[in-house]
Amino acid sequence: PTRRSSDLTAKKAVDELPTECRQVFELSRYEGKKYSEIAQELGISVNTVKYHIKNAIKILSSRLSVDVLGAVLFVFGAC
């Protein structure tokens, strides 16, 4: 796939994550916030943040090609 179609595929996959999972993933990856900052902002524990990140990566890995998933995690920071 082209880069543009890969970007759209990745964006669609992130948009389809469960709501709280998506919020946590976006705060971590798009805004570069630390787990403790996300936990405080959303009123959840750091362990819940970790759970949502792990779940998001699991869901995205089942929906995206290895190359696209790698780009999403690399561009937006890895755990």
Side-chain angles (χ1 to χ4, degrees):
T2 65
R3 179 181 160 109
R4 178 148 171 77
S5 67
S6 295
D7 289 347
L8 292 174
T9 301
K11 173 79 169 112
K12 185 173 189 281
V14 170
D15 287 347
E16 291 175 351
L17 290 171
T19 303
E20 193 169 32
C21 185
R22 179 182 45 76
Q23 287 177 316
V24 169
F25 185 82
E26 288 177 340
L27 289 170
S28 172
R29 297 311 196 253
Y30 299 165
E31 297 184 27
K33 293 189 176 187
K34 296 177 183 177
Y35 290 179
S36 58
E37 294 172 321
I38 297 167
Q40 184 175 13
E41 183 173 326
L42 297 180
I44 58 179
S45 71
V46 172
N47 282 338
T48 301
V49 171
K50 291 177 184 179
Y51 166 81
H52 284 304
I53 294 294
K54 181 179 173 182
N55 194 38
I57 292 170
K58 180 180 173 183
I59 293 168
L60 293 173
S61 68
S62 72
R63 295 181 182 173
L64 300 172
S65 72
V66 173
D67 292 339
V68 175
L69 178 63
V72 168
L73 297 178
F74 177 76
V75 169
F76 301 115
C79 291

